[in-house]
Amino acid sequence: MEEKKIIFSGIQPTGVFTLGNYLGAIRNWKNLQNEYNSIFCVVDLHALTVRQVPKDLRHQTYQAYALLLACGIDPEKALVFVQSHVSGHTELSWILNNYTYFGELSRMTQFKVKSQKHEDNINAGLFDYPVLMAADILLYQANLVPIGADQKQHLELARDVADRFNNAYSPTFAVPEGYFGKSGARVKSLQEPTKKMSKSDTNDKGYILLLDSPNVIRKKFRSAVTDSDARVAYDPENKAGIANLMEIYQAITGESLEAIETKFEGQGYGAFKDAVADVVIGELEPIQKRFEELMSDKKGLEAIMKEHAEKASRMAVKTLRKVKKKIGLVQV
Ligand code: TRP
């Protein structure tokens, strides 16, 4: 257990996860928990950087937590907790603020994009978001961080801050690396198949949510954008919609793209779309069932949250003690 590398990742509780989150990230996390000391965090404090409706945030936090477990993150194997339950995150974040430059944060692409999107609320939290993320990672001495391409710049910042601190004092933090698993599927929007599938898409037909009913899933696949070629063939350049559906089918069944082409040769897109819907519905059915069970027992869920928050806090405190000592804070 001790020699295993530590892997840390976080996910925001800003709505039901999409099929893209599942095939691209969460499903892989499930496999990582056997190989690594895995830590998964529902980052509710990060969600505060844009205005949330309190009762929705509360509900979505339970939901995100239950979904992680329902997707196969096993609380016996991995540490799964809610960020705000471990006060070390904000504490370390404040300290690290003093080792992060205004210029660095100003260069963050996500900050620029989000400032445009939330023009009326460009708050300090939005600006400081990457420092909280660095604290999440460094607090647990994480070696590996599974992330999507959009978080690379933030991870780079976490590495720089860790190095800066280690050099200023003495080795204190593990310097984390990105973990880009084998082929975490990059699921695209069903309506604009050149863009990533995203729950913030204004057209809800573009994404499949993990809690969508079988009927809704089928409808969304039926209305997925394709082309007029009518051949199930893998050609991401010219047939992005079909390529996306083939990748989804492949990610779930494990069949090769060639095998899928052969299987659906001579069949129309209608039949193929229904087949994709079938495998997705089949994959999500046990997850949805487990999710309902977990959500019907909030007390049970809270007990797991609490136990894991306590374990996480113990790890966090160790790092914080070291940090405080090195920078000259008095501890009694
Ligand atoms: N910023 C990440 C995102 O929006 C979520 C996140 C917060 C995270 N803290 C993290 C991811 C630490 C990896 C490690 O996707």
Side-chain angles (χ1 to χ4, degrees):
M1 179 100 176
E2 284 336 304
E3 307 96 65
K4 284 187 187 172
K5 285 194 170 171
I6 300 175
I7 203 155
F8 183 102
S9 200
I11 193 157
Q12 292 201 41
T14 44
V16 176
F17 304 142
T18 67
L19 184 66
N21 297 133
Y22 175 70
L23 294 176
I26 303 167
R27 199 180 60 154
N28 304 330
W29 294 2
K30 184 178 84 177
N31 301 326
L32 297 174
Q33 62 190 351
N34 298 315
E35 247 175 284
Y36 299 98
N37 277 335
S38 305
I39 309 177
F40 302 116
C41 187
V42 175
V43 292
D44 54 349
L45 297 172
H46 276 102
L48 297 178
T49 55
V50 301
R51 214 46 94 224
Q52 303 289 338
V53 177
K55 76 171 185 351
D56 294 349
L57 178 61
R58 191 172 301 123
H59 178 64
Q60 285 165 1
T61 301
Y62 281 107
Q63 221 177 28
Y65 193 86
L67 267 176
L68 289 181
L69 301 189
C71 288
I73 307 272
D74 179 355
E76 299 291 322
K77 291 182 181 165
L79 197 53
V80 201
F81 67 97
V82 176
Q83 189 183 32
S84 67
H85 293 177
V86 180
S87 60
H89 292 249
T90 43
E91 232 181 305
L92 182 60
S93 172
W94 175 257
I95 294 174
L96 296 180
N97 273 331
N98 306 290
Y99 301 84
T100 311
Y101 297 111
F102 181 84
E104 285 178 310
L105 292 175
S106 307
R107 284 195 292 276
M108 294 290 131
T109 309
Q110 193 176 78
F111 171 68
K112 293 186 207 162
V113 172
K114 286 199 178 173
S115 316
Q116 274 171 10
K117 206 167 150 192
H118 306 279
E119 254 181 336
D120 52 338
N121 184 21
I122 307 177
N123 60 64
L126 195 64
F127 187 66
D128 203 32
Y129 177 114
V131 181
L132 180 58
M133 179 163 160
D136 295 340
I137 298 166
L138 302 184
L139 202 48
Y140 298 95
Q141 305 291 344
N143 307 105
L144 296 169
V145 183
I147 39 161
D150 61 329
Q151 297 298 318
K152 269 190 180 168
Q153 206 184 15
H154 291 163
L155 180 65
E156 207 44 53
L157 181 84
R159 290 169 54 85
D160 290 344
V161 172
D163 271 330
R164 191 169 297 147
F165 193 98
N166 289 345
N167 290 332
Y169 304 94
S170 57
T172 310
F173 296 120
V175 181
E177 279 171 38
Y179 179 92
F180 308 96
K182 287 150 237 143
S183 61
R186 293 167 161 238
V187 180
K188 308 287 196 321
S189 159
L190 300 182
Q191 292 298 316
E192 287 175 87
T194 50
K195 287 195 192 154
K196 178 176 149 182
M197 179 179 282
S198 162
K199 61 193 164 206
S200 52
D201 197 332
T202 45
N203 182 351
D204 70 357
K205 285 191 183 141
Y207 53 78
I208 304 283
L209 299 177
L210 295 191
L211 299 177
D212 279 347
S213 70
N215 262 340
V216 168
I217 295 175
R218 195 172 298 284
K219 275 194 198 134
K220 286 180 177 175
F221 276 113
R222 282 191 177 156
S223 62
V225 166
T226 52
D227 53 65
S228 55
D229 176 45
R231 265 181 327 117
V232 178
Y234 191 70
D235 180 357
E237 289 266 306
N238 303 304
K239 294 161 68 69
I242 285 295
N244 186 36
L245 296 181
M246 288 178 76
E247 285 178 25
I248 293 171
Y249 193 88
Q250 177 189 42
I252 293 175
T253 63
E255 291 172 33
S256 70
L257 296 168
E258 297 76 42
I260 298 168
E261 283 180 2
T262 312
K263 190 169 184 173
F264 292 97
E265 203 176 318
Q267 299 192 38
Y269 285 166
F272 178 55
K273 285 175 167 180
D274 271 341
V276 180
D278 285 339
V279 297
V280 170
I281 291 166
E283 178 81 8
L284 298 187
E285 192 186 70
I287 293 175
Q288 295 182 350
K289 193 162 163 272
R290 182 82 188 103
F291 172 80
E292 292 307 332
E293 286 166 11
L294 288 160
M295 287 297 273
S296 67
D297 177 17
K298 286 261 173 71
K299 287 274 168 294
L301 208 54
E302 285 167 1
I304 308 174
M305 283 179 175
K306 191 152 193 254
E307 184 196 325
H308 282 243
E310 284 165 3
K311 278 195 209 158
S313 292
R314 284 196 288 277
M315 293 177 75
V317 159
K318 278 194 197 161
T319 300
L320 267 171
R321 282 229 175 86
K322 277 203 244 173
V323 168
K324 289 179 180 174
K325 183 167 178 216
K326 294 195 189 197
I327 62 179
L329 300 182
V330 172
Q331 298 178 84
V332 291

